[in-house]
Amino acid sequence: MTTPDIVLRAEGLTKRFGGLTAVQDVSFEQRAGEILAIIGPNGAGKTTLLNLLSGLHRPTSGTLHLLGHDVSRASMERRCHLGLGRAFQIVRPFPEMTVLENVTVGALFGKPGARLHTAREEAWALLERTGLATHAHKPAHDLNLLQDKRLEVARALATQPKVLLLDEVMAGLRPTEAQEAVELVRGVRDSGISVLFIEHIMPIVRDLADRVVVMDQGRVLARGTYHEVTADPHVIRAYLGTELDQDVA
């Protein structure tokens, strides 16, 4: 049973691909209004876990509850309708469509009887919120990397999620751009949306995350606040080394 303040609960999630176990017995909870970070070395199973949460993969075993609903075997569409949104690391907008049209598609997704006019109004509001309003009528292929990332978040927000999954949305950004993205994510949380994100840049994790889940070799290695997990000798040995205080880069 999921209590009202728990928006996402994974219990024993396991995913095997043939003889490879990519995620093994992963359990965690996310609270309402929380920014939760998933970190770990390359190959730790982070993106596979996100694919299990979003429904791109189905677990070999284990359960997942979203806002009190068992979605362990639910489709991506069903999870989206229940309030789960996702922004991907590799951005794939509809390149020939305008920025506004791209976000409008998100606002229309899976909403029988939705009106185009209302969806466009919602899309405009999200473009203003994400700093893309001045690019509304540009084709998506004309955007730079930061604008692409903002468009990906805007499209995810257009589905009206209660929980938003972000897969390394800071990847490739310059320090000033990354800081702008941090402020955008904070604004998403301040609007009442819980955020779960994968990130490898530790200063961003430090600045954003309320709690951190550390993965290694498909398993949960540690949980806690940023300062708790970064002081854990197992985490230091498996992932962090001595690179904790580097600038965002």
Side-chain angles (χ1 to χ4, degrees):
M1 178 69 84
T2 301
T3 56
D5 64 330
I6 300 298
V7 295
L8 203 59
R9 171 176 284 158
E11 295 180 325
L13 283 183
T14 297
K15 181 62 181 178
R16 297 187 183 94
F17 298 96
L20 171 67
T21 302
V23 170
Q24 185 166 356
D25 196 28
V26 168
S27 300
F28 68 89
E29 294 178 344
Q30 181 172 13
R31 302 162 188 154
E34 180 176 54
I35 299 181
L36 181 67
I38 307 290
I39 67 171
N42 291 336
K46 304 183 299 296
T47 295
T48 300
L49 175 61
L50 227 62
N51 289 340
L52 291 172
L53 300 182
S54 65
L56 189 60
H57 298 325
R58 292 190 177 180
T60 305
S61 60
T63 60
L64 177 68
H65 285 79
L66 169 67
L67 300 164
H69 301 273
D70 186 341
V71 295
S72 309
R73 297 291 183 270
S75 66
M76 295 180 70
E77 183 177 11
R78 170 66 174 157
R79 296 180 201 208
C80 181
H81 291 170
L82 288 172
L84 187 69
R86 179 175 179 179
F88 289 82
Q89 177 183 3
I90 300 174
V91 181
R92 292 190 178 96
F94 302 107
E96 303 302 325
M97 294 173 65
T98 68
V99 172
L100 177 61
E101 289 168 341
N102 266 271
V103 182
T104 301
V105 168
L108 287 168
F109 177 71
K111 299 173 185 174
R115 296 185 177 183
L116 180 59
H117 176 71
T118 301
R120 283 174 63 88
E121 287 182 344
E122 293 172 2
W124 262 112
L126 284 168
L127 294 184
E128 291 174 350
R129 180 174 169 185
T130 55
L132 289 173
T134 57
H135 306 286
H137 299 297
K138 285 183 179 180
H141 63 67
D142 281 354
L143 298 182
N144 63 31
L145 180 60
L146 176 60
Q147 292 160 354
D148 271 341
K149 302 278 188 178
R150 288 177 176 271
L151 176 57
E152 182 71 1
V153 172
R155 290 200 305 170
L157 290 175
T159 66
Q160 300 181 348
K162 297 178 178 66
V163 181
L164 179 63
L165 310 179
L166 303 176
D167 189 356
E168 294 200 50
V169 296
M170 316 289 183
L173 299 182
R174 295 190 296 270
T176 54
E177 294 172 335
Q179 189 56 45
E180 290 179 31
V182 164
E183 295 305 321
L184 176 59
V185 174
R186 284 182 180 146
V188 169
R189 188 268 298 276
D190 291 345
S191 73
I193 300 170
S194 306
V195 178
L196 183 151
F197 73 105
I198 291 176
E199 187 51 67
H200 70 278
I201 303 173
M202 292 307 294
I204 289 176
V205 177
R206 178 195 61 210
D207 292 346
L208 267 182
D210 297 308
R211 287 189 306 126
V212 181
V213 174
V214 187
M215 293 185 65
D216 185 38
Q217 298 182 0
R219 296 176 176 268
V220 172
L221 182 61
R223 304 179 186 82
T225 66
Y226 173 86
H227 294 293
E228 287 169 344
V229 300
T230 55
D232 187 318
H234 299 291
V235 176
I236 294 171
R237 193 159 49 243
Y239 179 47
L240 298 177
T242 59
E243 303 301 317
L244 293 181
D245 296 319
Q246 63 186 351
D247 292 332
V248 176

